[in-house]
Amino acid sequence: MISRRGLMLGGIGTGLLSALPTAIGQVPASFDTLPPTAPMKRISLSARETDVHLLGPDKPATRRFCAYDGAPFKIFRFERGTRLAVDFRNELPHPTTVHWHGIRVPNLSDGVAPLTQEVIRPGGSFSYNVPLPDGGFYFFHPHCDETGQVGRGLFALLVVDDAEERKVRFDAECFIVVKDWRLGPDGQWIDMSTDEGAATAGTFGNVRATNGSIIPPRVEVPAFGDVRVRTIVADATRVIDLGTDHEEAALIAIDGQAMLPPAVIDHLPDGIWRMGPAMRADMQVRMPGPGQEVKVFDYRSGEPYLLTTLVAVDKGLKKTPFKPKALPASTAPQPDVARAKPLNFLLQVSAGPTIVSPELPPDDPLAKALTDSLCVGAKTHWAISRDSWSTGEALRLPPPLARLDAGTTYRISCTNVTKHVHPMHLHGHVFRVLSSSKKKGMPQYLADTVIVEPNETVDFAFKATSGNWVFHCHILEHMDTGLMGWFRVA
Ligand code: C2O
Ligand code: CU
């Protein structure tokens, strides 16, 4: 155990980190997903605070909104096969990191403190090596105090375009970013997390919004055209049931990977696609004639919540029969399901709230510094197979959930024995969702995040890539309070 005095003298930088198990030094030989000859693009990126009018132009601006480059809802677009050299600068008054969600990056660029890097302190910087080996729809966000930072807007969309995919034609594209806010009537932030929320379904926003607007957007698109609607749940908590009031709509990609064959949404169970935090879905919507509208809803809310209205305008297109479009197959490594090794995990409630450091009250500045540098919450409500990231003695990185062999396929059976939904995300891999104990006849598909419902077992398989990769619930308060573990793959 480190003494308080030692910490004070050494500072968090040396005292604490040298006492931590130095996972960083033990990362298995890193694996790069693009050849060294891949074209490189250097970009600078910052995280900073800014003022944004979230309640409307005539309402008070929300101060301390967090955004990459100070630009809310920024969309980054690059060509598949590019390597990004990202010079990141932390201009926030808090520690942060950047995680490239769904992108198969080398482990040291995965942005998970303290597993793959140390936190980036205010004013600090970090260089990320971000190869883009697969086309698709992704995003990036901090992996430190996610509840607080993503809650205040810190994320950006990342679209990786691909020449093959461009051969599949669309007449328009539109984005639906589901992200609610927690605001007081004065437009200023209220607490992002409550104990009650963290221990149940998560703390919901009290102001709903699409693309940052509390008025659902209306987007003009060509009548009789095929619109590619890319939806992401960037919210920390909300789970939506995505659907439309129109029959000619198909799911064509999930988490950026082609859905093959595409699935007509009305033919899916309940005519919806359920999406939790971090999940993305690309839909093809065939527009009706001029003047008509297609409404995209979240049907999970008591009253269906209108996310966006597509308005058909005459652009000279003629009516043709609707045909769902197959996008080119994912270029990510595919699991060898027939030879998969089984792994079983339980998603559980933890024994009870435990503070990170039993000797320090959570509001003690030192306890705060410890949780900041470990990027964990001060409480524990959840566990994966009895282990919680933040339980037990204070300065502990939990042991890995399992040690895996690189190149081997694993089949995870994940059983949720809690009363709440958990969208589970595995870093560094694209996996194949194989089956669910509840949704019989569900199509198989590729994803990086999968919902596990209460009393459900979901099986998914992936080919392991070397690195230390976290596996966690993407309801951010759940991950911050214990629903996170990691795999060591070597
Ligand atoms: Cu999008 Cu570990 O997260
Ligand atoms: Cu969860």
Side-chain angles (χ1 to χ4, degrees):
M1 192 66 200
I2 300 175
S3 79
R4 183 179 180 103
R5 190 176 137 78
L7 265 173
M8 288 307 200
L9 292 176
I12 298 298
T14 52
L16 171 63
L17 289 168
S18 62
L20 282 172
T22 49
I24 295 171
Q26 297 166 13
V27 170
S30 198
F31 181 86
D32 204 322
T33 46
L34 281 180
T37 51
M40 191 182 16
K41 201 170 166 95
R42 181 149 234 123
I43 62 166
S44 35
L45 181 76
S46 67
R48 63 176 103 112
E49 293 185 343
T50 174
D51 291 355
V52 178
H53 286 269
L54 295 174
L55 293 177
D58 46 346
K59 295 279 167 41
T62 303
R63 291 186 297 272
R64 301 183 51 235
F65 187 95
C66 291
Y68 288 111
D69 296 341
F73 299 95
K74 204 166 165 180
I75 302 174
F76 290 79
R77 269 195 121 117
F78 300 100
E79 207 52 29
R80 175 168 101 88
T82 310
R83 177 187 304 280
L84 302 180
V86 182
D87 298 318
F88 174 75
R89 227 184 115 70
N90 180 12
E91 294 172 14
L92 299 171
H94 307 284
T96 195
T97 62
V98 187
H99 168 57
W100 311 88
H101 184 115
I103 304 275
R104 297 186 297 117
V105 294
N107 193 232
L108 291 178
S109 287
D110 200 37
V112 179
L115 190 61
T116 67
Q117 67 170 102
E118 295 177 15
V119 289
I120 308 162
R121 280 160 237 284
S125 47
F126 194 86
S127 302
Y128 289 97
N129 165 19
V130 185
L132 303 172
D134 311 306
F137 179 25
Y138 306 93
F139 77 130
F140 55 91
H141 61 74
H143 223 282
C144 191
D145 181 23
E146 289 190 61
T147 308
Q149 293 181 8
V150 178
R152 289 189 289 128
L154 193 59
F155 63 87
L157 309 191
L158 176 53
V159 177
V160 182
D161 290 307
D162 173 29
E164 269 311 297
E165 200 189 270
R166 266 194 292 275
K167 294 181 187 159
V168 182
R169 294 269 171 195
F170 292 91
D171 302 296
E173 181 185 46
C174 102
F175 289 87
I176 296 179
V177 181
V178 176
K179 176 73 186 77
D180 304 338
W181 311 113
R182 287 187 52 77
L183 296 173
D186 59 351
Q188 305 314 311
W189 301 116
I190 55 175
D191 276 356
M192 291 297 160
S193 180
T194 58
D195 251 357
E196 209 209 322
T200 57
T203 305
F204 284 83
N206 58 341
V207 175
R208 291 203 68 168
T210 301
N211 302 350
S213 166
I214 57 173
I215 300 164
R218 289 175 65 81
V219 189
E220 296 194 344
V221 292
F224 303 127
D226 279 315
V227 187
R228 182 170 191 164
V229 180
R230 302 193 192 244
T231 303
I232 175 169
V233 179
D235 198 63
T237 309
R238 186 170 294 283
V239 176
I240 68 165
D241 283 350
L242 180 73
T244 75
D245 61 354
H246 183 60
E247 286 163 11
E248 302 191 331
L251 204 54
I252 55 172
I254 291 168
D255 291 352
Q257 317 303 307
M259 172 90 168
L260 296 172
V264 172
I265 299 194
D266 271 6
H267 299 171
L268 293 168
D270 301 322
I272 54 99
W273 184 249
R274 183 159 296 169
M275 298 171 69
M279 294 167 76
R280 290 91 66 212
D282 288 34
M283 268 190 308
Q284 172 195 351
V285 175
R286 167 62 65 84
M287 291 305 292
Q292 291 183 267
E293 295 178 350
V294 174
K295 293 188 189 301
V296 182
F297 285 107
D298 165 17
Y299 288 100
R300 189 171 170 89
S301 310
E303 276 279 287
Y305 176 79
L306 178 62
L307 295 167
T308 288
T309 306
L310 304 174
V311 183
V313 295
D314 189 5
K315 292 276 187 218
L317 294 180
K318 295 269 170 305
K319 187 175 166 69
T320 55
F322 173 59
K323 203 171 161 292
K325 292 176 191 277
L327 297 175
S330 169
T331 48
Q334 297 300 304
D336 180 359
V337 179
R339 304 223 307 237
K341 293 194 178 164
L343 291 167
N344 299 300
F345 296 107
L346 287 182
L347 310 180
Q348 300 168 306
V349 169
S350 77
T354 337
I355 31 180
V356 165
S357 168
E359 288 152 46
L360 298 171
D363 54 358
D364 182 289
L366 183 62
K368 166 115 182 31
L370 288 176
T371 50
D372 276 357
S373 67
L374 289 163
C375 296
V376 294
K379 295 262 174 86
T380 301
H381 296 298
W382 309 94
I384 300 180
S385 295
R386 287 218 214 93
D387 219 338
S388 299
W389 190 273
S390 56
T391 350
E393 74 272 33
L395 303 173
R396 184 178 79 106
L397 185 68
L401 292 168
R403 290 169 190 274
L404 310 180
D405 295 323
T408 299
T409 294
Y410 294 88
R411 176 184 188 125
I412 292 188
S413 291
C414 200
T415 303
N416 178 357
V417 295
T418 76
K419 292 200 199 80
H420 299 281
V421 171
H422 301 294
M424 298 301 296
H425 170 47
L426 173 63
H427 282 212
H429 296 79
V430 168
F431 52 73
R432 173 170 288 277
V433 181
L434 301 172
S435 64
S436 146
S437 61
K438 278 193 156 173
K439 300 168 205 122
K440 302 282 179 216
M442 177 194 72
Q444 291 193 354
Y445 60 92
L446 300 173
D448 56 52
T449 307
V450 65
I451 284 187
V452 190
E453 305 271 355
N455 301 316
E456 183 185 32
T457 300
V458 170
D459 278 36
F460 61 90
F462 62 98
K463 184 175 268 181
T465 298
S466 59
N468 293 328
W469 303 108
V470 289
F471 175 51
H472 64 82
C473 177
H474 223 290
I475 289 180
L476 301 180
E477 287 165 289
H478 291 179
M479 85 169 260
D480 282 347
T481 58
L483 232 176
M484 173 153 80
W486 60 290
F487 296 111
R488 167 158 296 171
V489 187

